[in-house]
Amino acid sequence: MSIVVMKFGGTSVADSEMIRSAARRAVQARQRGHKVVAVVSAMGNTTDRLIDLAGQITRRPSRREMDQLLSTGEQVTIALMAMAIEDMGVPSVSFTAGQIRIITDDVHGQAKIRRINAHSIVRELDAGRIVIVAGFQGVTETGEVTTLGRGGSNLTLVAVAAAIDAKFCENYTDVDGVYTADPRLVPGARKIDRITYDEMMELSSQGASVLHNRAVGFAKKHNVPIHVRSSLHNRRGTMIVSETEEMERIVVNAVALKKHLAGISLKNVPDRPGMAATVFHALAAAKIVVDDIIQTETTPKLATISFTVDLSALPAVRKLCRKMCRQIKGVTAEFEKDLAKVSVVGLGMRVHTGVAERMFAALASGGINIRDITTSEIKISCIIKRAEGAKALRLVHDAFELGRKKKPAAKTTKKKKTAKKKKTKKKTAAKKK
Ligand code: ADP
Ligand code: ASP
Ligand code: MG
């Protein structure tokens, strides 16, 4: 009996009807002979509402109390989901992270999973129950409640699948699969059938919120394929898998947009060993995640260090940088809070040339100025103004012809129509033969 782990995101369990529908899927998988674990998110936009609620109480809630609050969202869904399954006549049991020991470090709001006690899940599966697990939450060695970062239920999905040796996992969501661009921003985007872990990891880190980048990394490490699919129908979605040779033929597979970035430029930084280390040590100590870093020499003795962070981190970063400016003589700091980043991703970039040129030309055609450029082996990113983000994404998507193939306009002339009729006649004759 193989084990399948499925995850239902917030929109797939948004109300009682959706929860019933998710429950039905879990029951059907069991009827097909699988042992089933379902990881669930908080209902609809519950997490956003809870964050909002905290904001009504205080401007600076502690990270610990935020985790206490946010973890309640998923706890509601697990109980309702287990009830819905039992109501269908199938035994089920729900677990919070504390109950199955999803042990994390103590970084509230961004905790990393260290291990999961698979025994309790396996025991319940062996007893014939469908097991429901709360996504997004963890618990420290000392029993403190943590959360894994926004979108973290994806991580729970993959971590649970790896812990109990599931053959693959299914991520049920509100899109049919992974698209060549966020279909909400690029209506002509096309669904991708298969994509590699590495490409998906880049896409997720560059703003494709459909999967959490750490979840994809975890899946790669444990070689667990992920099937991203719609919770509304049974059609095949996108498989996230290991690389095969032919996958390198596609130069650019998809584009992504990171919408909320802030840029920081530290100017007149003495160009000597240890300066960058000093700057980034301070940021790391404050647990600030830095996006891209660029250092340029302005005079033989001075450099500018520019980097980007998520917009939400700007107040903390501003405070730290101002402190640095007071400590290091001559250094000044400039802040921009209106940035975004557009990226193209594809394995084929390793062997094909001309990708950068094509991307820059697409942006230039829309009069979009590039502030900074960063690259990896399979990705090129441009920092631009946020206001131009959606336009940039569409331009680049078009430049690499990633969209759905347009059907030729249905302009059938009289001549063509007769030809068509003849063809049909021929076909029928052939069939008759
Ligand atoms: P869930 O609640 O199921 O976890 P999310 O809202 O986190 O769902 O992720 C699904 C959303 O991801 C989609 O509605 C879509 O707007 C967005 N998205 C961004 N980039 C992509 C992409 N390349 N392909 C598909 N969806 C994407
Ligand atoms: N409920 C959490 C969030 O909205 C986790 C998740 O849905 O993956 O971010
Ligand atoms: Mg999500």
Side-chain angles (χ1 to χ4, degrees), residues 7-11 39-48 51 70 73-74 135-137 147-156 171 209 212:
K7 176 234 155 182
F8 297 92
T11 40
V39 173
V40 290
S41 291
M43 294 169 70
N45 62 357
T46 301
T47 310
D48 289 327
I51 292 173
L70 298 191
E74 271 68 13
F136 179 54
Q137 51 180 257
T147 63
L148 311 176
R150 293 307 303 269
S153 296
N154 292 151
L155 254 165
T156 313
N171 187 74
S209 54
H212 194 294

Side-chain angles (χ1 to χ4, degrees), residues 7-12 41-42 44 151 153-154 171-185 189-190 192 200 203 207-211 228 254-257:
K7 176 234 155 182
F8 297 92
T11 40
S12 306
S41 291
S153 296
N154 292 151
N171 187 74
Y172 284 94
T173 183
D174 61 354
V175 266
D176 296 348
V178 178
Y179 276 65
T180 49
D182 185 342
R184 286 180 210 248
L185 299 175
R190 176 178 47 81
I192 302 169
M200 194 63 229
L203 282 175
S209 54
V210 60
L211 279 179
V228 178
V255 298
L257 179 70

